[in-house]
Amino acid sequence: MSDVQAQFATLNQTIDPAVADAIAQLIRDGEDHELNRINVLDFAARRGLNEERVISGFLHASRLGLFDLTWNVLCPGCSGVLDAHSTLKSLRHDDYHCGLCACGYEASVDEQVEVAFTVAPRVRHIAAHDPNTLPLWEYFKQVFWSSGVDLNQESFASLTDEVTLDAMELPAHEKAVMSLHLPAEFVIVFEPVTHAAQFIDVQGEPTKERQHLSLIYNRQHTPTGTITMQPGPLRLSLENQTEVRVLPSVFVAAEGLHHLIGKRKPFLTAKRILTNQTFRDVYKADNLNIDQRLKITSLTFLFTDLKGSTALYERVGDLAAFDLVRAHFHALLEIIASEAGAVVKTIGDAVMATFTRPEQALAAGLRMRAAMERLNEERGTKDLVVKIGIHEGPCLAVMLNERQDYFGQTVNIAARVQGLSTSQAIHVTSPVISAQAVEAILQKAEITPIQKHAALRGIADKVVVYEIP
């Protein structure tokens, strides 16, 4: 049996068989471009597969060596890939600059870092393994733009026919000239390999005299500049000083271009991966560096604690109490995973978990409460009383005690809100209750939240909280 066959055999034993079959078929029959920077959410949707199972499947397949996992920093404006990293540890703290949008951004892991999968070269060689050999427009599609840009055959016909004035492949250390006619529009000379851009504001009276512009491409990220020219002929002199070919392209920055790159589809974000239980379990050592701090602008935290666990041990004895606590943990962890959350840590009889959206956390909390009632009924006891708190907000992803963790006031508030419960109740904060999907869940369950003003330890002002009775 070959190494690849052995990897597939292991994968079949590890993940959902339907997902394993779909991955195998993709590797065997997929077009080259379908195996580069795979958008796993799109993959799941096209095949009618469960998203969480597909994410888990690709993570396991990547860990086995079938795929290379990449963390791509995206421009929030055009969704171009500003940098690609093989590990989250190499994500920089400084700004990433997009020449096409002429803006700098500090990478957050919410919607700005895409997680994608490319088939490993030893499994199947595809054209994108040698990106400098890709045809010009395939380079734009497969390398420059992210998997979240919804590019199809019609889109590219629009790009090449309506938006582009001219484009070329310029070999390393070569010079070339473009001769073109400038329309009375805003024009961008953009080069996707070096991410260099020159803006041309074409205005005024048309001219018949040839205008001249010279551009040099190197690896220096010079600021995007704007010059003013008149409508009419342009001689564009280009020089490539890099070691690879470059792809200078002249775009009309009109409605067509904005429409083209404005068509988006969901993609797998770093935030979602960091709150994925399979990733936390499989990639334990590959999360963050000890000194790394990644900003997350919105994450939902759920804290639980078992009420009166110390008294429980005294009342029913160590063995019976341990059995109850273990059953409680098993139920909670299963619910968290099934609602697309991840356990950050357990502390004694308490659980800290994260979710990408508030409604996922609330759904988990409601199911946890029901699960404890069932366990109590099954065992003829009333001892399993879980206090639950949920809060949503910004935080930092960090490494603490060799484990990915979270830091910030959002975490502190979530933990304190959990402490407000004295019975099997759920307490949530205003950001959670104001989420539209949360409101829909409560209406469907015919639950009316009870508003309170609570003083939380370590928090200066009183906080508005809502009890979910």
Side-chain angles (χ1 to χ4, degrees):
M1 181 184 292
S2 69
D3 289 344
V4 173
Q5 288 175 321
Q7 289 168 322
F8 274 117
T10 302
L11 188 66
N12 276 307
Q13 296 170 0
T14 307
I15 69 172
D16 184 313
V19 175
D21 288 345
I23 290 175
Q25 183 182 24
L26 173 68
I27 292 175
R28 183 181 65 248
D29 304 327
E31 300 282 345
D32 270 20
H33 69 86
E34 294 177 313
L35 288 158
N36 180 49
R37 288 186 182 166
I38 299 163
N39 181 329
V40 296
L41 303 189
D42 189 53
F43 178 88
R46 288 175 180 274
R47 289 160 178 80
L49 297 170
N50 177 273
E51 278 188 1
E52 292 302 316
R53 292 179 182 176
V54 169
I55 294 169
S56 177
F58 272 88
L59 285 170
H60 279 290
S62 179
R63 201 58 170 169
L64 287 169
L66 295 171
F67 295 99
D68 293 327
L69 185 155
T70 57
W71 307 79
N72 305 320
V73 181
L74 309 184
C75 169
C78 68
S79 205
V81 176
L82 307 182
D83 207 352
H85 302 282
S86 60
T87 172
L88 194 57
K89 291 179 180 179
S90 56
L91 199 67
R92 304 195 310 271
H93 291 286
D94 57 333
D95 288 352
Y96 290 82
H97 183 80
C98 178
L100 187 58
C101 295
C103 289
Y105 307 96
E106 184 178 358
S108 74
V109 299
D110 289 63
E111 303 302 323
Q112 203 180 331
V113 179
E114 166 200 58
V115 181
F117 300 81
T118 298
V119 68
R122 59 185 296 276
V123 176
R124 175 176 160 183
H125 187 82
I126 60 173
H129 290 145
D130 302 307
N132 291 314
T133 65
L134 285 171
L136 187 148
W137 297 120
E138 282 299 314
Y139 187 94
F140 269 100
K141 181 179 179 181
Q142 295 192 45
V143 180
F144 177 71
W145 274 310
S146 81
S147 67
V149 179
D150 193 4
L151 297 170
N152 53 34
Q153 192 170 358
E154 181 183 346
S155 299
F156 265 87
S158 170
L159 176 65
T160 56
D161 297 341
E162 301 173 23
V163 174
T164 307
L165 295 178
D166 204 350
M168 68 163 53
E169 297 186 18
L170 184 57
H173 305 294
E174 293 286 333
K175 297 179 182 180
V177 172
M178 280 186 186
S179 294
L180 53 138
H181 191 279
L182 291 177
E185 303 268 10
F186 198 84
V187 171
I188 303 174
V189 184
F190 180 65
E191 200 295 297
V193 179
T194 60
H195 287 239
Q198 174 66 58
F199 292 170
I200 307 175
D201 187 6
V202 186
Q203 56 178 271
E205 290 295 322
T207 181
K208 294 182 179 180
E209 292 186 14
R210 187 176 299 278
Q211 302 166 98
H212 298 271
L213 176 63
S214 296
L215 298 176
I216 297 174
Y217 296 110
N218 50 42
R219 289 299 183 179
Q220 298 174 0
H221 287 278
T222 55
T224 302
T226 302
I227 61 172
T228 301
M229 289 187 162
Q230 295 173 264
L234 170 66
R235 178 184 172 87
L236 181 58
S237 299
L238 304 166
E239 181 179 353
N240 179 8
Q241 295 182 352
T242 73
E243 300 300 321
V244 296
R245 61 127 195 214
V246 293
L247 306 169
S249 307
V250 186
F251 299 137
V252 176
E255 184 60 31
L257 180 61
H258 297 301
H259 176 72
L260 174 71
I261 62 179
K263 295 174 65 178
R264 306 292 171 84
K265 56 187 175 183
F267 62 88
L268 183 60
T269 63
K271 180 175 80 169
R272 183 164 178 180
I273 277 288
L274 290 177
T275 57
N276 178 276
Q277 194 63 56
T278 300
F279 178 76
R280 293 187 66 94
D281 293 342
V282 174
Y283 283 83
K284 293 177 182 177
D286 194 40
N287 290 6
L288 305 171
N289 283 323
I290 190 68
D291 297 323
Q292 202 169 9
R293 310 285 185 267
L294 293 183
K295 289 184 179 180
I296 300 177
T297 59
S298 172
L299 196 63
T300 303
F301 291 88
L302 179 148
F303 279 81
T304 75
D305 197 12
L306 192 57
K307 181 185 176 184
S309 57
T310 302
L312 172 65
Y313 278 84
E314 291 185 1
R315 188 166 61 253
V316 303
D318 288 348
L319 189 60
F322 176 75
D323 184 49
L324 275 173
V325 171
R326 186 174 62 175
H328 133 273
F329 268 131
H330 178 76
L332 296 192
L333 302 190
E334 189 175 77
I335 290 169
I336 290 167
S338 67
E339 293 294 343
V343 176
V344 179
K345 56 189 172 186
T346 58
I347 311 164
D349 300 322
V351 174
M352 172 184 176
T354 56
F355 298 83
T356 55
R357 300 191 303 275
E359 64 269 21
Q360 296 169 325
L362 179 62
L366 292 172
R367 288 179 58 192
M368 289 173 179
R369 186 162 65 181
M372 294 306 102
E373 291 172 354
R374 285 195 302 272
L375 279 172
N376 281 330
E377 186 177 341
E378 290 170 3
R379 294 166 184 258
T381 181
K382 295 182 179 180
D383 290 318
L384 292 176
V385 178
V386 173
K387 303 183 295 178
I388 300 170
I390 304 171
H391 180 47
E392 179 266 337
C395 62
L396 294 176
V398 300
M399 285 295 285
L400 290 174
N401 302 319
E402 299 182 349
R403 175 177 54 197
Q404 180 208 320
D405 208 329
Y406 298 92
F407 178 83
Q409 192 74 318
T410 297
V411 182
N412 297 334
I413 291 175
R416 303 289 188 267
V417 167
Q418 173 271 312
L420 295 174
S421 299
T422 57
S423 61
Q424 198 137 279
I426 302 170
H427 280 85
V428 305
T429 58
S430 294
V432 175
I433 209 74
S434 62
Q436 191 172 7
V438 165
E439 183 180 346
I441 291 174
L442 295 176
Q443 286 180 348
K444 185 176 181 180
E446 298 183 341
I447 296 173
T448 302
I450 302 170
Q451 182 177 324
K452 304 177 180 179
H453 287 79
L456 303 181
R457 182 168 56 86
I459 309 299
D461 300 322
K462 282 193 172 183
V463 175
V464 177
V465 297
Y466 298 82
E467 181 180 343
I468 310 298

